[in-house]
Amino acid sequence: EHRHVGRRATLHAPLSRIRRPLAPPRQLSRASLTLGLAGAVVADGDDPSLGTELDGGLGMDLNLGVRLSPYASIHVAWLTAVHDSMPEVDTFERAVLTSFSFDIRAFLLPNAEAIEPFVQVGTGLTDMRRDGGPHRDLSGISFLVGGGVHVPLNPSIALTAFVLYRPALLEALHTEDGQSESELLHLFTGSLGMSLRL
């Protein structure tokens, strides 16, 4: 009989926990890019006001967000919409409204798989440029509040829809008659977009 004297037997045991490779930590931050079709409506204010001069508009919504946790995400957003003037307005034909904002979303059902409702608040800047009239360009600080839903289609793509109220205090930047103009714009927007996880 052939034996190896002094050699210890080799045990085929699983690697100890210390020697096992460490699993990568779970990443909570998930970046996403959303491109959507937006509709905008300006509510009537005191007559005369921008609400009585502007018709409803259509535009685009671009949103870059980061999911910080199952409960919250932060977003940088850009919205632009083109509004025709009302038929009785003869000082301009159309206006282009642009808004940049920093938003926070709070998810109400973070563990839901089919649909995730959320509420959204934020602040930013709004600019409106008209193609005529004594005060063509107006801009100012704006706020937003509203809500929507996030519907995952697969791990990489989702549908996102939301409705927001965007009050903005606008003031004239350039005047032709030496007078200034300021007004509180009551803007409501809705957007339906496709989200791509980055």
Side-chain angles (χ1 to χ4, degrees), residues 90-185:
D90 57 3
T91 55
F92 67 96
E93 294 183 2
R94 65 185 53 86
V96 178
L97 193 144
T98 305
S99 178
F100 298 92
S101 62
F102 177 79
D103 317 326
I104 299 176
R105 291 179 182 174
F107 293 88
L108 305 179
L109 300 174
N111 296 323
E113 297 181 359
I115 183 171
E116 292 182 297
F118 60 84
V119 294
Q120 183 171 341
V121 295
T123 185
L125 296 174
T126 296
D127 178 78
M128 190 184 72
R129 297 178 181 268
R130 291 177 284 187
D131 58 8
H135 308 111
R136 297 184 179 182
D137 301 340
L138 298 98
S139 66
I141 190 171
S142 59
F143 302 90
L144 62 88
V145 61
V149 292
H150 185 75
V151 184
L153 302 179
N154 60 46
S156 300
I157 299 176
L159 288 175
T160 302
F162 53 86
V163 177
L164 299 173
Y165 169 51
R166 301 171 176 261
L169 182 59
L170 302 182
E171 295 184 355
L173 291 178
H174 306 288
T175 62
E176 297 177 356
D177 54 5
Q179 297 181 359
S180 61
E181 177 184 3
S182 62
E183 182 174 343
L184 179 61
L185 182 73

Side-chain angles (χ1 to χ4, degrees), residues 1-2 10 22 29 59 63 66 72 87 114 116 123 143 175 188:
E1 182 178 1
H2 180 72
T10 303
L22 296 177
S29 298
N63 189 299
V66 177
E116 292 182 297
T123 185
F143 302 90
T175 62
F188 294 86

